Amino acid sequence: MPLVRFLIRLGYAPGFFAGFLGAALTLAERGAPRWSLPVLLGLALVVSFAAERLAPYDPVWNQPHGDTGRDLIHAAVNEASIVLSVLALPLVSGLISGFDVWPSGWPLWGQLAVAVLAADFGITLAHYASHRTPELWSLHAVHHSVERMYGFNGLLKHPLHQAIELTAGVAPLVLLGMPSDVAWLLAFAVAIQLILQHSNVDMKIGPLIYIWAVAPAHRHHHLASQTEGDVNFGLFTSLWDHLLGTFRSGADTPRTGQIGVSGRPDYPRGYLRQLAEPFRRVV
């Protein structure tokens, strides 16, 4: 078991990311049906849960906190909304006069890389703004209300805030003429990255922590202190955090009892109450 933990700590993050994205690209290139990606995402969650138990960062976070049902609903609603958004992409593209400069002649992996980097920019800026605009923060606080960090947390968001981030990240790509097969892969890549960002695996990524926005860096973002947690906004990369001066790394990442919404130990835990909370606080 010590050897297994050692191997997971070193190889889990790059193996998970490259393995599942590589599988998704292979399926897309072979013309596999669209439903194969949700099945692959389900397998990714199973692998994530297994790795968290074999090599946990904080063993307490592996225990349910009365949040399992709520998190399942959040994940189902938010992933379904993404699927509907991608399905609507051809209609939206037909209604919008874009530039039609998408590099369609590139290999599929190259097109996905362009989409990932462009979406990273838009989503990171929307995330950054969400910590500085009260109205956006009231929606984003739902994501920060978690009392533990594990792979599923990345899929926990207020639907309206997810729509805002999605628009910021994808609208420029739609204007550029992004095809639907790349959009499906981008949606899958985002889900895989969110799982890695919030994973309870004690992963070690070495110098990659300065450029790759996975759990060792992103845990700082979830510190309950809004001042200390006002860092590391990147989705895929830490590039924009370096430019914004918001990058942070180090060993002082949070443990049990150190995450949540600053000043709100009473934040609602139920799904419907979390959907209503932003409006209750604003009105």
Side-chain angles (χ1 to χ4, degrees), residues 10 12 36 39-40 50-51 64 74 82 85 100 103 108 126 136 146-147 182 190 195 202 207 230 234 236 272 277:
L10 291 182
Y12 173 71
S36 62
V39 171
L40 193 60
H74 270 295
I82 290 177
S85 298
D100 195 23
L108 193 55
L136 290 177
V146 296
E147 298 174 82
V182 179
V190 168
I195 292 171
D202 186 24
D230 202 22
F236 286 99
L272 293 178
E277 179 67 9

Side-chain angles (χ1 to χ4, degrees), residues 100-107 111 177 179:
D100 195 23
V101 294
W102 188 262
S104 302
W106 290 17
Q111 296 181 52

Side-chain angles (χ1 to χ4, degrees), residues 74 133-145 157-162 164 261 264 267-268 270-283:
H74 270 295
T133 307
E135 292 77 14
L136 290 177
W137 169 249
S138 67
L139 294 170
H140 184 49
V142 171
H143 177 68
H144 279 267
S145 69
K157 297 183 180 184
H158 195 289
L160 289 180
H161 191 264
Q162 174 168 279
I164 291 168
V261 179
R264 290 296 312 277
Y267 200 90
Y271 179 75
L272 293 178
R273 291 185 63 197
Q274 287 191 341
L275 294 191
E277 179 67 9
F279 307 100
R280 189 183 73 82
R281 301 291 298 176
V282 169
V283 174

Side-chain angles (χ1 to χ4, degrees), residues 4-260:
V4 171
R5 287 196 295 270
F6 174 77
L7 293 175
I8 291 174
R9 291 170 70 188
L10 291 182
Y12 173 71
F16 187 89
F17 189 79
F20 280 105
L21 273 193
L25 280 164
T26 299
L27 288 171
E29 289 171 341
R30 294 181 177 179
R34 301 300 188 195
W35 54 259
S36 62
L37 288 182
V39 171
L40 193 60
L41 180 59
L43 177 59
L45 285 168
V46 171
V47 172
S48 173
F49 293 148
E52 287 174 335
R53 277 146 185 81
L54 290 169
Y57 168 78
D58 187 336
V60 176
W61 286 351
N62 280 339
Q63 307 305 316
H65 287 49
D67 52 8
T68 304
R70 178 204 67 197
D71 292 355
L72 282 169
I73 297 173
H74 270 295
V77 171
N78 292 337
E79 287 304 300
S81 70
I82 290 177
V83 168
L84 291 174
S85 298
V86 177
L87 288 173
L89 185 60
L91 175 62
V92 174
S93 299
L95 295 174
I96 297 176
S97 297
F99 300 103
D100 195 23
V101 294
W102 188 262
S104 302
W106 290 17
L108 193 55
W109 66 264
Q111 296 181 52
L112 176 59
V114 169
V116 162
L117 291 174
D120 184 53
F121 173 71
I123 292 173
T124 297
L125 291 187
H127 192 181
Y128 179 80
S130 297
H131 280 248
R132 284 157 175 75
T133 307
E135 292 77 14
L136 290 177
W137 169 249
S138 67
L139 294 170
H140 184 49
V142 171
H143 177 68
H144 279 267
S145 69
V146 296
E147 298 174 82
R148 59 176 176 140
M149 288 187 69
Y150 71 122
F152 226 31
N153 286 158
L155 309 178
L156 188 154
K157 297 183 180 184
H158 195 289
L160 289 180
H161 191 264
Q162 174 168 279
I164 291 168
E165 285 192 336
L166 187 64
T167 300
V170 176
L173 295 171
V174 174
L175 290 173
L176 292 174
M178 176 178 64
S180 60
D181 57 344
V182 179
W184 282 108
L185 288 170
L186 176 60
F188 182 81
V190 168
I192 290 296
Q193 178 67 9
L194 287 172
I195 292 171
L196 276 176
Q197 271 199 334
H198 299 82
S199 175
N200 188 30
V201 175
D202 186 24
M203 59 184 77
K204 305 298 181 184
I205 60 172
L208 285 176
I209 194 172
Y210 295 101
I211 58 173
W212 193 17
V214 289
H218 191 70
R219 290 186 190 115
H220 289 283
H221 181 73
H222 278 266
L223 281 162
S225 168
Q226 196 160 351
T227 301
E228 294 180 354
D230 202 22
V231 295
N232 297 359
F233 297 98
L235 173 58
F236 286 99
T237 77
S238 299
L239 170 63
W240 307 111
D241 282 301
H242 287 294
L243 294 176
L244 292 167
T246 56
F247 177 76
R248 177 179 173 184
S249 66
D252 56 335
T253 49
R255 298 280 179 174
T256 300
Q258 295 179 305
I259 64 174

